[in-house]
Amino acid sequence: MRDVIVKVHQRCNLACTYCYVYQHEDQSWHDRPAVMPAETWQATVAKLRRHVRQHQMPALRGILHGGEP
């Protein structure tokens, strides 16, 4: 593992009519937090830190994802 994508923001503000997440029957996204809670990102960083150290990696690329546009 050398690249990690972390989705930090849940919601999209475009509301496209064809969107399979926001415009269809499953509306369970309403119950999820809009932004990743601090405890979650802190635990993610700690776990990635342990992984890098355990495998003596010179680098790890982190990509933050989420929301539109």
Side-chain angles (χ1 to χ4, degrees):
M1 178 175 74
R2 303 221 188 288
D3 297 338
V4 176
I5 300 173
V6 179
K7 188 166 184 178
V8 296
H9 199 278
Q10 178 68 22
R11 307 280 167 83
C12 171
N13 62 355
L14 295 179
C16 300
T17 57
Y18 55 83
C19 180
Y20 66 91
V21 174
Y22 299 107
Q23 302 297 328
H24 288 277
E25 292 79 21
D26 180 4
Q27 293 293 299
S28 62
W29 63 270
H30 283 284
D31 300 329
R32 297 183 201 130
V35 178
M36 180 186 290
E39 308 84 47
T40 303
W41 68 258
Q42 290 167 350
T44 301
V45 169
K47 187 169 246 186
L48 290 173
R49 184 182 300 124
R50 285 192 303 271
H51 176 80
V52 167
R53 287 179 179 161
Q54 178 182 358
H55 297 283
Q56 300 175 347
M57 298 172 66
L60 177 74
R61 184 168 67 161
I63 302 163
L64 304 180
H65 178 275
E68 291 290 345

